Amino acid sequence: MPTPAAEHTVDATLVRALLADQHPDLAALPLTVAANGWDNVVVRLGDTLAVRLPRRSAAATLIEHEQRWLPELARQVAAVVPVPAPVRTGRPALGYPWSWSVVPWLPGTAAGERLGGVVLAEALAAFVRLLHVPAPSDAPVNPVRAVPLATRTDAVLHRLRSEDVPRAPELAALWRAAASARTHAGPPVWVHGDLHPFNLLVEPGPDGDRLSAVVDFGDVTAGDPAVDLATAWLTLDREARAVFLERVAVDDATRLRARGWAVSIASALWTSDDSAFRTVGVRGMAAALDG
């Protein structure tokens, strides 16, 4: 699946104009486009800040969710890892139609294709334990993340049938088993919703990569924590996966649902036109089948 086309061009010229209009004290700082992703453009602003702007309408509400909830969630997980809670917000202006944010520039590089070890697993487990607490009744609702897996069956099986996915019959069988597992019985908890390795920043350490930040909370929602636990199969090697799952103390049904989410997210990554995403996708699907 190719990256969606931008519905509005976002470049340094636009960002400087928006800053001059709404945050003039920041407008003279150097600007460099750092990432042009599926939903958002990230423009580095000086040494310590970045500007995050939707590039299509589907992401506009997600930015607003981050502006509303991420400051609170940042305090919740601060003992473990920083997250890019907005320090300034922007409004539509100068022909640009959506809200946008100024956020901290956080250290590290995306974990991406590198398999994480035990050090990363321990930090990820600590992060999700702090994040996965009951969410308020007005938390954002995401129709495709942290929902009962059975509601996603048609979409996932269609992808497995139509996208030349490796080992598709085995993955379909695993998905059906996961979708039939006992559903989340507790209250809806806060979840990141997209905790794959491209949203995890790491820095090298003496015992392996350490977690330096968790980014891109656009899919933040309340629901089943299993969607975040899928990172065990997407991000970690086998030894680290075992440590992560032990630390988060999942039961058998939650583990099975998490493997189902790993199938869903990994197969979606496989359909990307980005080679790094495809690498993580095929690796994640194989890991999910491995158990």
Side-chain angles (χ1 to χ4, degrees):
M1 181 182 299
T3 302
E7 297 170 17
H8 199 290
T9 300
V10 176
D11 57 20
T13 300
L14 171 65
V15 174
R16 194 172 301 283
L18 288 169
L19 289 169
D21 180 59
Q22 299 177 40
H23 300 285
D25 59 314
L26 302 178
L29 293 172
L31 291 169
T32 307
V33 176
N36 199 327
W38 190 273
D39 288 328
N40 299 286
V41 177
V42 177
V43 181
R44 188 165 186 178
L45 176 63
D47 293 330
T48 62
L49 298 171
V51 188
R52 180 168 161 83
L53 309 94
R55 60 191 291 276
R56 60 193 192 112
S57 58
T61 301
L62 308 185
I63 285 281
E64 292 172 359
H65 289 165
E66 291 181 340
Q67 291 175 344
R68 166 66 180 88
W69 294 106
L70 200 46
E72 176 181 323
L73 297 178
R75 291 189 291 271
Q76 197 166 300
V77 302
V80 173
V81 67
V83 301
V87 296
R88 307 270 188 102
T89 60
R91 63 182 184 277
L94 308 177
Y96 181 74
W98 305 304
S99 298
W100 48 279
S101 301
V102 179
V103 301
W105 178 263
L106 297 174
T109 58
E113 298 173 68
R114 304 200 301 274
L115 277 172
V118 169
V119 170
L120 182 57
E122 291 173 340
L124 270 176
F127 167 76
V128 298
R129 287 200 307 269
L130 290 175
L131 179 65
H132 290 174
V133 299
S137 60
D138 58 342
V141 175
N142 187 313
V144 299
R145 297 295 169 95
V147 294
L149 268 69
T151 66
R152 303 297 303 150
T153 290
D154 289 348
V156 171
L157 293 184
H158 174 76
R159 184 161 61 241
L160 294 178
R161 287 193 300 267
S162 61
E163 296 288 350
D164 193 29
V165 175
R167 303 176 68 181
E170 296 169 78
L171 292 165
L174 172 56
W175 173 266
R176 291 189 181 95
S180 299
R182 177 174 53 80
T183 58
H184 176 59
V189 301
W190 279 117
V191 297
H192 178 281
D194 203 22
L195 204 61
H196 60 63
F198 297 95
N199 288 334
L200 304 173
L201 302 186
V202 297
E203 291 184 314
D207 300 316
D209 285 343
R210 67 175 189 85
L211 185 65
S212 60
V214 178
V215 300
D216 195 351
F217 281 73
D219 283 315
V220 67
T221 188
D224 182 359
V227 67
D228 283 353
L229 304 183
T231 199
W233 292 269
L234 301 170
T235 305
L236 303 172
D237 63 31
R238 183 179 294 183
E239 178 188 6
R241 188 185 315 143
V243 170
F244 174 85
L245 294 170
E246 179 182 5
R247 294 293 176 89
V248 298
V250 298
D251 58 34
D252 290 344
T254 303
R255 179 183 176 122
L256 182 54
R257 293 196 310 276
R259 290 174 66 200
W261 279 113
V263 170
S264 175
I265 297 168
S267 60
L269 291 171
W270 165 256
T271 69
S272 170
D273 55 0
D274 184 303
S275 62
F277 278 24
R278 290 176 65 86
T279 295
V280 172
V282 72
R283 183 186 75 200
M285 291 185 289
L289 289 172
D290 188 44

